[in-house]
Amino acid sequence: MIDMHCHLDLYAEPQNVVNNCKEKEIYVLSVTTTPKAWSGTRMIVEGIDKIWTSLGLHPQLAHERYNELEIFDDILPDTTFIGEVGLDGGKNYRSHYKRQKEVFRHILMNVQRAGGRIMTIHSQHAASDVLDELADYPDAGIPILHWFTGNKYELKEAILQECWFSVGPAMLATQRGRELFINIPRDKIISETDGPFAMVNKKPLMPWDVDLVISAISKLWDESDKSVKEKISNNFSNLIKYSKKVMGAGVIFPRFEGGTRLK
Ligand code: MN
């Protein structure tokens, strides 16, 4: 099981969730929303080789936290994954859009300079702009558009730009989400929950609820759960392989590889 986008630090009892993930041997990308949160969030998964902590500055917080970009830059050499970052053009955040763009550009520029990373990206009400920014930094690594809600033209463009997509139960619960989903190349799909933000039946999703995505996908692809799981773990290992190539020398790699620096 793979949960490629989950906010472990935002659950009511993070340590319980972490212990459960460890027991169930789930691969989790634990995403953060501010650079200051990175080290503490990383601490709660210390020693667990299937959970990684990504370095983020959420677009909904960009206007309050842009002064943490310096911390972002300091941590960047030590992290393989970036996120949650991106843009949010929703009505509550539109007034800070200029600041969001500054922050996102700063991040993409420095990530590109650092050799590229795997990035989990928020693009609500901003898919075209996110794609435009990504096009300006073609060597920033692998963008994974998480919970994509753009239109079909934006989806087409994202596919042309070789984006990946992480897909959760909440996305596949809507007709619109399902219609987008069936047009995504099957080798660019990764499972996620976006817990505890994303909910199903008014309950926050837990990382092991990625099971729900697997069964939803198996219906949409008309394949068995087993074959969907195989495809997604295959995609996951391609992503990891690809990232090695992208990141090159000197970057600390996921701990399932022993935590060694790549030569
Ligand atoms: Mn999120």
Side-chain angles (χ1 to χ4, degrees), residues 71-88:
I71 304 175
F72 185 98
D73 297 343
D74 283 345
I75 300 171
L76 178 57
D78 293 332
T79 179
T80 307
F81 297 94
I82 300 300
E84 180 163 0
V85 296
L87 297 173
D88 191 313

Side-chain angles (χ1 to χ4, degrees), residues 74-112:
D74 283 345
I75 300 171
L76 178 57
D78 293 332
T79 179
T80 307
F81 297 94
I82 300 300
E84 180 163 0
V85 296
L87 297 173
D88 191 313
K91 60 176 188 317
N92 296 333
Y93 305 100
R94 192 85 217 175
S95 55
H96 305 296
Y97 207 55
K98 202 173 152 241
R99 180 67 81 188
Q100 290 183 39
K101 277 194 172 173
E102 279 168 26
V103 167
F104 192 37
R105 274 179 201 158
H106 174 105
I107 289 171
L108 290 174
M109 187 179 72
N110 284 337
V111 167
Q112 176 164 285

Side-chain angles (χ1 to χ4, degrees), residues 93-214:
Y93 305 100
R94 192 85 217 175
S95 55
H96 305 296
Y97 207 55
K98 202 173 152 241
R99 180 67 81 188
Q100 290 183 39
K101 277 194 172 173
E102 279 168 26
V103 167
F104 192 37
R105 274 179 201 158
H106 174 105
I107 289 171
L108 290 174
M109 187 179 72
N110 284 337
V111 167
Q112 176 164 285
R113 232 180 242 161
R117 296 289 188 275
I118 296 175
M119 303 175 284
T120 177
I121 297 176
H122 178 109
S123 58
Q124 236 185 351
H125 306 291
S128 294
D129 285 343
V130 163
L131 293 170
D132 284 349
E133 297 300 327
L134 288 172
D136 286 341
Y137 300 95
D139 298 319
I142 304 170
I144 306 174
L145 301 177
H146 113 86
W147 195 344
F148 185 76
T149 53
N151 62 40
K152 59 182 180 182
Y153 305 103
E154 290 164 330
L155 177 65
K156 235 183 202 166
E157 183 54 37
I159 293 166
L160 282 174
Q161 286 186 222
E162 297 190 13
C163 292
W164 287 62
F165 299 84
S166 57
V167 172
M171 176 173 173
L172 297 186
T174 68
Q175 178 63 25
R176 195 165 173 272
R178 289 191 292 269
E179 277 168 16
L180 288 167
F181 174 82
I182 49 169
N183 289 304
I184 301 174
R186 295 186 182 189
D187 61 353
K188 291 284 172 62
I189 300 252
I190 294 284
S191 44
E192 69 162 32
T193 63
D194 199 18
F197 283 130
M199 305 206 193
V200 165
N201 299 328
K202 293 184 184 161
K203 272 177 64 189
L205 289 165
M206 308 305 282
W208 43 94
D209 289 327
V210 284
D211 267 357
L212 300 171
V213 199
I214 302 298

Side-chain angles (χ1 to χ4, degrees), residues 8-19:
L8 288 181
D9 61 332
L10 301 180
Y11 284 101
E13 294 180 74
Q15 202 63 61
N16 278 348
V17 182
V18 169
N19 293 344

Side-chain angles (χ1 to χ4, degrees), residues 16-26 48 51 208:
N16 278 348
V17 182
V18 169
N19 293 344
N20 267 303
C21 290
K22 189 181 173 188
E23 206 171 289
K24 296 178 199 296
E25 301 194 341
I26 309 174
I48 302 174
I51 306 182
W208 43 94

